[in-house]
mmCIF file of all heavy atoms in Angstrom:
data_model
loop_
_atom_site.group_PDB
_atom_site.id
_atom_site.type_symbol
_atom_site.label_atom_id
_atom_site.label_comp_id
_atom_site.label_asym_id
_atom_site.label_seq_id
_atom_site.Cartn_x
_atom_site.Cartn_y
_atom_site.Cartn_z
ATOM 1 N N GLU Z 1 146.269 -23.819 -88.074
ATOM 2 C CA GLU Z 1 146.653 -24.342 -89.387
ATOM 3 C C GLU Z 1 145.469 -24.351 -90.349
ATOM 4 O O GLU Z 1 145.609 -24.036 -91.535
ATOM 5 C CB GLU Z 1 147.213 -25.763 -89.223
ATOM 6 C CG GLU Z 1 148.573 -25.827 -88.561
ATOM 7 C CD GLU Z 1 149.652 -25.199 -89.435
ATOM 8 O OE1 GLU Z 1 149.550 -25.318 -90.668
ATOM 9 O OE2 GLU Z 1 150.586 -24.602 -88.873
ATOM 10 N N LEU Z 2 144.291 -24.698 -89.818
ATOM 11 C CA LEU Z 2 143.102 -24.709 -90.671
ATOM 12 C C LEU Z 2 142.752 -23.315 -91.148
ATOM 13 O O LEU Z 2 142.404 -23.115 -92.325
ATOM 14 C CB LEU Z 2 141.939 -25.321 -89.887
ATOM 15 C CG LEU Z 2 140.618 -25.474 -90.645
ATOM 16 C CD1 LEU Z 2 140.803 -26.396 -91.841
ATOM 17 C CD2 LEU Z 2 139.523 -26.021 -89.727
ATOM 18 N N GLN Z 3 142.841 -22.345 -90.243
ATOM 19 C CA GLN Z 3 142.566 -20.966 -90.656
ATOM 20 C C GLN Z 3 143.587 -20.488 -91.678
ATOM 21 O O GLN Z 3 143.224 -19.808 -92.650
ATOM 22 C CB GLN Z 3 142.582 -20.058 -89.425
ATOM 23 C CG GLN Z 3 141.410 -20.284 -88.472
ATOM 24 C CD GLN Z 3 141.475 -19.398 -87.254
ATOM 25 O OE1 GLN Z 3 142.445 -18.639 -87.079
ATOM 26 N NE2 GLN Z 3 140.469 -19.474 -86.401
ATOM 27 N N ARG Z 4 144.876 -20.858 -91.449
ATOM 28 C CA ARG Z 4 145.903 -20.466 -92.417
ATOM 29 C C ARG Z 4 145.638 -21.115 -93.776
ATOM 30 O O ARG Z 4 145.743 -20.461 -94.830
ATOM 31 C CB ARG Z 4 147.280 -20.863 -91.888
ATOM 32 C CG ARG Z 4 148.430 -20.403 -92.768
ATOM 33 C CD ARG Z 4 149.753 -20.796 -92.140
ATOM 34 N NE ARG Z 4 149.876 -22.229 -92.023
ATOM 35 C CZ ARG Z 4 150.254 -23.040 -93.023
ATOM 36 N NH1 ARG Z 4 150.530 -22.520 -94.222
ATOM 37 N NH2 ARG Z 4 150.355 -24.336 -92.848
ATOM 38 N N ALA Z 5 145.294 -22.410 -93.747
ATOM 39 C CA ALA Z 5 144.992 -23.092 -95.006
ATOM 40 C C ALA Z 5 143.761 -22.492 -95.681
ATOM 41 O O ALA Z 5 143.708 -22.380 -96.908
ATOM 42 C CB ALA Z 5 144.775 -24.583 -94.744
ATOM 43 N N TRP Z 6 142.784 -22.088 -94.834
ATOM 44 C CA TRP Z 6 141.582 -21.475 -95.410
ATOM 45 C C TRP Z 6 141.915 -20.140 -96.061
ATOM 46 O O TRP Z 6 141.428 -19.829 -97.159
ATOM 47 C CB TRP Z 6 140.555 -21.287 -94.295
ATOM 48 C CG TRP Z 6 139.258 -20.735 -94.778
ATOM 49 C CD1 TRP Z 6 138.290 -21.371 -95.491
ATOM 50 C CD2 TRP Z 6 138.790 -19.388 -94.587
ATOM 51 N NE1 TRP Z 6 137.238 -20.527 -95.758
ATOM 52 C CE2 TRP Z 6 137.518 -19.300 -95.209
ATOM 53 C CE3 TRP Z 6 139.305 -18.275 -93.951
ATOM 54 C CZ2 TRP Z 6 136.773 -18.124 -95.205
ATOM 55 C CZ3 TRP Z 6 138.570 -17.103 -93.943
ATOM 56 C CH2 TRP Z 6 137.320 -17.029 -94.575
ATOM 57 N N ARG Z 7 142.782 -19.354 -95.394
ATOM 58 C CA ARG Z 7 143.196 -18.085 -95.996
ATOM 59 C C ARG Z 7 143.985 -18.324 -97.282
ATOM 60 O O ARG Z 7 143.761 -17.645 -98.288
ATOM 61 C CB ARG Z 7 144.040 -17.281 -95.000
ATOM 62 C CG ARG Z 7 143.235 -16.699 -93.846
ATOM 63 C CD ARG Z 7 144.054 -15.671 -93.092
ATOM 64 N NE ARG Z 7 145.237 -16.257 -92.487
ATOM 65 C CZ ARG Z 7 145.285 -16.748 -91.247
ATOM 66 N NH1 ARG Z 7 144.187 -16.721 -90.499
ATOM 67 N NH2 ARG Z 7 146.399 -17.247 -90.765
ATOM 68 N N GLU Z 8 144.897 -19.317 -97.219
ATOM 69 C CA GLU Z 8 145.650 -19.632 -98.437
ATOM 70 C C GLU Z 8 144.721 -20.141 -99.531
ATOM 71 O O GLU Z 8 144.924 -19.839 -100.716
ATOM 72 C CB GLU Z 8 146.722 -20.673 -98.112
ATOM 73 C CG GLU Z 8 147.843 -20.145 -97.242
ATOM 74 C CD GLU Z 8 148.877 -21.217 -96.926
ATOM 75 O OE1 GLU Z 8 148.635 -22.377 -97.334
ATOM 76 O OE2 GLU Z 8 149.907 -20.891 -96.305
ATOM 77 N N GLY Z 9 143.708 -20.923 -99.118
ATOM 78 C CA GLY Z 9 142.742 -21.392 -100.112
ATOM 79 C C GLY Z 9 141.979 -20.236 -100.740
ATOM 80 O O GLY Z 9 141.731 -20.218 -101.960
ATOM 81 N N ASN Z 10 141.597 -19.248 -99.903
ATOM 82 C CA ASN Z 10 140.915 -18.078 -100.455
ATOM 83 C C ASN Z 10 141.837 -17.301 -101.387
ATOM 84 O O ASN Z 10 141.426 -16.831 -102.461
ATOM 85 C CB ASN Z 10 140.431 -17.168 -99.323
ATOM 86 C CG ASN Z 10 139.292 -17.802 -98.534
ATOM 87 O OD1 ASN Z 10 138.573 -18.653 -99.054
ATOM 88 N ND2 ASN Z 10 139.133 -17.401 -97.281
ATOM 89 N N ILE Z 11 143.120 -17.194 -100.943
ATOM 90 C CA ILE Z 11 144.076 -16.499 -101.810
ATOM 91 C C ILE Z 11 144.249 -17.263 -103.114
ATOM 92 O O ILE Z 11 144.283 -16.675 -104.212
ATOM 93 C CB ILE Z 11 145.415 -16.326 -101.072
ATOM 94 C CG1 ILE Z 11 145.243 -15.382 -99.877
ATOM 95 C CG2 ILE Z 11 146.485 -15.809 -102.021
ATOM 96 C CD1 ILE Z 11 146.471 -15.276 -98.993
ATOM 97 N N SER Z 12 144.350 -18.596 -103.024
ATOM 98 C CA SER Z 12 144.490 -19.409 -104.238
ATOM 99 C C SER Z 12 143.252 -19.285 -105.114
ATOM 100 O O SER Z 12 143.361 -19.239 -106.351
ATOM 101 C CB SER Z 12 144.731 -20.868 -103.861
ATOM 102 O OG SER Z 12 145.908 -21.002 -103.086
ATOM 103 N N GLN Z 13 142.085 -19.207 -104.469
ATOM 104 C CA GLN Z 13 140.860 -19.045 -105.249
ATOM 105 C C GLN Z 13 140.866 -17.710 -105.983
ATOM 106 O O GLN Z 13 140.501 -17.636 -107.176
ATOM 107 C CB GLN Z 13 139.645 -19.146 -104.309
ATOM 108 C CG GLN Z 13 138.307 -19.092 -105.017
ATOM 109 C CD GLN Z 13 138.056 -20.316 -105.875
ATOM 110 O OE1 GLN Z 13 138.604 -21.383 -105.601
ATOM 111 N NE2 GLN Z 13 137.234 -20.167 -106.900
ATOM 112 N N ARG Z 14 141.301 -16.668 -105.264
ATOM 113 C CA ARG Z 14 141.362 -15.354 -105.931
ATOM 114 C C ARG Z 14 142.409 -15.367 -107.043
ATOM 115 O O ARG Z 14 142.179 -14.791 -108.120
ATOM 116 C CB ARG Z 14 141.696 -14.273 -104.894
ATOM 117 C CG ARG Z 14 140.551 -13.975 -103.937
ATOM 118 C CD ARG Z 14 140.821 -12.682 -103.183
ATOM 119 N NE ARG Z 14 141.946 -12.821 -102.275
ATOM 120 C CZ ARG Z 14 141.846 -13.198 -101.014
ATOM 121 N NH1 ARG Z 14 140.640 -13.501 -100.517
ATOM 122 N NH2 ARG Z 14 142.900 -13.277 -100.241
ATOM 123 N N GLU Z 15 143.560 -16.038 -106.757
ATOM 124 C CA GLU Z 15 144.569 -16.139 -107.810
ATOM 125 C C GLU Z 15 144.038 -16.927 -109.005
ATOM 126 O O GLU Z 15 144.314 -16.580 -110.162
ATOM 127 C CB GLU Z 15 145.830 -16.803 -107.253
ATOM 128 C CG GLU Z 15 146.585 -15.936 -106.258
ATOM 129 C CD GLU Z 15 147.799 -16.643 -105.703
ATOM 130 O OE1 GLU Z 15 147.957 -17.849 -106.019
ATOM 131 O OE2 GLU Z 15 148.581 -16.011 -104.966
ATOM 132 N N LEU Z 16 143.286 -17.987 -108.716
ATOM 133 C CA LEU Z 16 142.702 -18.771 -109.804
ATOM 134 C C LEU Z 16 141.710 -17.933 -110.611
ATOM 135 O O LEU Z 16 141.686 -18.011 -111.855
ATOM 136 C CB LEU Z 16 142.013 -20.014 -109.223
ATOM 137 C CG LEU Z 16 141.403 -20.992 -110.231
ATOM 138 C CD1 LEU Z 16 142.494 -21.544 -111.150
ATOM 139 C CD2 LEU Z 16 140.693 -22.119 -109.515
ATOM 140 N N GLU Z 17 140.923 -17.146 -109.885
ATOM 141 C CA GLU Z 17 139.992 -16.262 -110.599
ATOM 142 C C GLU Z 17 140.758 -15.252 -111.442
ATOM 143 O O GLU Z 17 140.371 -14.948 -112.588
ATOM 144 C CB GLU Z 17 139.085 -15.553 -109.590
ATOM 145 C CG GLU Z 17 138.110 -16.492 -108.878
ATOM 146 C CD GLU Z 17 137.288 -15.769 -107.824
ATOM 147 O OE1 GLU Z 17 137.574 -14.567 -107.597
ATOM 148 O OE2 GLU Z 17 136.403 -16.396 -107.218
ATOM 149 N N THR Z 18 141.876 -14.741 -110.865
ATOM 150 C CA THR Z 18 142.696 -13.793 -111.630
ATOM 151 C C THR Z 18 143.292 -14.465 -112.862
ATOM 152 O O THR Z 18 143.309 -13.882 -113.969
ATOM 153 C CB THR Z 18 143.814 -13.236 -110.731
ATOM 154 O OG1 THR Z 18 143.231 -12.640 -109.569
ATOM 155 C CG2 THR Z 18 144.629 -12.194 -111.468
ATOM 156 N N LEU Z 19 143.767 -15.707 -112.659
ATOM 157 C CA LEU Z 19 144.315 -16.440 -113.802
ATOM 158 C C LEU Z 19 143.251 -16.726 -114.851
ATOM 159 O O LEU Z 19 143.530 -16.667 -116.070
ATOM 160 C CB LEU Z 19 144.954 -17.749 -113.319
ATOM 161 C CG LEU Z 19 146.236 -17.595 -112.480
ATOM 162 C CD1 LEU Z 19 146.700 -18.974 -111.985
ATOM 163 C CD2 LEU Z 19 147.338 -16.933 -113.303
ATOM 164 N N ASP Z 20 142.033 -17.039 -114.384
ATOM 165 C CA ASP Z 20 140.950 -17.250 -115.347
ATOM 166 C C ASP Z 20 140.669 -15.972 -116.132
ATOM 167 O O ASP Z 20 140.433 -16.015 -117.367
ATOM 168 C CB ASP Z 20 139.684 -17.703 -114.614
ATOM 169 C CG ASP Z 20 139.826 -19.117 -114.073
ATOM 170 O OD1 ASP Z 20 140.674 -19.880 -114.598
ATOM 171 O OD2 ASP Z 20 139.091 -19.465 -113.120
ATOM 172 N N THR Z 21 140.711 -14.836 -115.409
ATOM 173 C CA THR Z 21 140.481 -13.557 -116.100
ATOM 174 C C THR Z 21 141.589 -13.297 -117.114
ATOM 175 O O THR Z 21 141.325 -12.885 -118.270
ATOM 176 C CB THR Z 21 140.423 -12.421 -115.070
ATOM 177 O OG1 THR Z 21 139.406 -12.716 -114.101
ATOM 178 C CG2 THR Z 21 140.091 -11.107 -115.746
ATOM 179 N N GLU Z 22 142.855 -13.544 -116.667
ATOM 180 C CA GLU Z 22 143.971 -13.351 -117.592
ATOM 181 C C GLU Z 22 143.886 -14.317 -118.768
ATOM 182 O O GLU Z 22 144.218 -13.957 -119.912
ATOM 183 C CB GLU Z 22 145.295 -13.540 -116.843
ATOM 184 C CG GLU Z 22 145.566 -12.440 -115.832
ATOM 185 C CD GLU Z 22 146.857 -12.669 -115.088
ATOM 186 O OE1 GLU Z 22 147.492 -13.730 -115.326
ATOM 187 O OE2 GLU Z 22 147.241 -11.805 -114.277
ATOM 188 N N LEU Z 23 143.441 -15.555 -118.477
ATOM 189 C CA LEU Z 23 143.301 -16.533 -119.566
ATOM 190 C C LEU Z 23 142.232 -16.077 -120.560
ATOM 191 O O LEU Z 23 142.414 -16.207 -121.789
ATOM 192 C CB LEU Z 23 142.938 -17.893 -118.983
ATOM 193 C CG LEU Z 23 142.788 -19.033 -119.984
ATOM 194 C CD1 LEU Z 23 144.090 -19.257 -120.744
ATOM 195 C CD2 LEU Z 23 142.350 -20.313 -119.278
ATOM 196 N N GLY Z 24 141.136 -15.529 -120.011
ATOM 197 C CA GLY Z 24 140.114 -15.002 -120.929
ATOM 198 C C GLY Z 24 140.655 -13.857 -121.766
ATOM 199 O O GLY Z 24 140.363 -13.753 -122.976
ATOM 200 N N HIS Z 25 141.472 -12.997 -121.078
ATOM 201 C CA HIS Z 25 142.076 -11.891 -121.827
ATOM 202 C C HIS Z 25 143.033 -12.417 -122.896
ATOM 203 O O HIS Z 25 143.053 -11.918 -124.040
ATOM 204 C CB HIS Z 25 142.815 -10.973 -120.852
ATOM 205 C CG HIS Z 25 143.508 -9.829 -121.506
ATOM 206 N ND1 HIS Z 25 142.830 -8.771 -122.112
ATOM 207 C CD2 HIS Z 25 144.846 -9.573 -121.680
ATOM 208 C CE1 HIS Z 25 143.692 -7.926 -122.615
ATOM 209 N NE2 HIS Z 25 144.935 -8.380 -122.368
ATOM 210 N N VAL Z 26 143.830 -13.434 -122.521
ATOM 211 C CA VAL Z 26 144.761 -14.025 -123.492
ATOM 212 C C VAL Z 26 144.001 -14.667 -124.646
ATOM 213 O O VAL Z 26 144.414 -14.585 -125.812
ATOM 214 C CB VAL Z 26 145.673 -15.050 -122.780
ATOM 215 C CG1 VAL Z 26 146.485 -15.847 -123.801
ATOM 216 C CG2 VAL Z 26 146.619 -14.324 -121.832
ATOM 217 N N LYS Z 27 142.878 -15.319 -124.284
ATOM 218 C CA LYS Z 27 142.067 -15.912 -125.359
ATOM 219 C C LYS Z 27 141.545 -14.838 -126.303
ATOM 220 O O LYS Z 27 141.512 -15.038 -127.532
ATOM 221 C CB LYS Z 27 140.898 -16.678 -124.745
ATOM 222 C CG LYS Z 27 141.308 -17.995 -124.106
ATOM 223 C CD LYS Z 27 140.083 -18.722 -123.551
ATOM 224 C CE LYS Z 27 140.480 -20.062 -122.950
ATOM 225 N NZ LYS Z 27 139.311 -20.801 -122.396
ATOM 226 N N GLY Z 28 141.151 -13.691 -125.695
ATOM 227 C CA GLY Z 28 140.690 -12.596 -126.560
ATOM 228 C C GLY Z 28 141.813 -12.085 -127.449
ATOM 229 O O GLY Z 28 141.613 -11.839 -128.657
#
């Protein structure tokens, strides 16, 4: 479960980074 949560956390982190990139693009 911890490994799964860690993978999901990494995926969420990447999604958050993607959202931040999209937000920067939207801001532009």
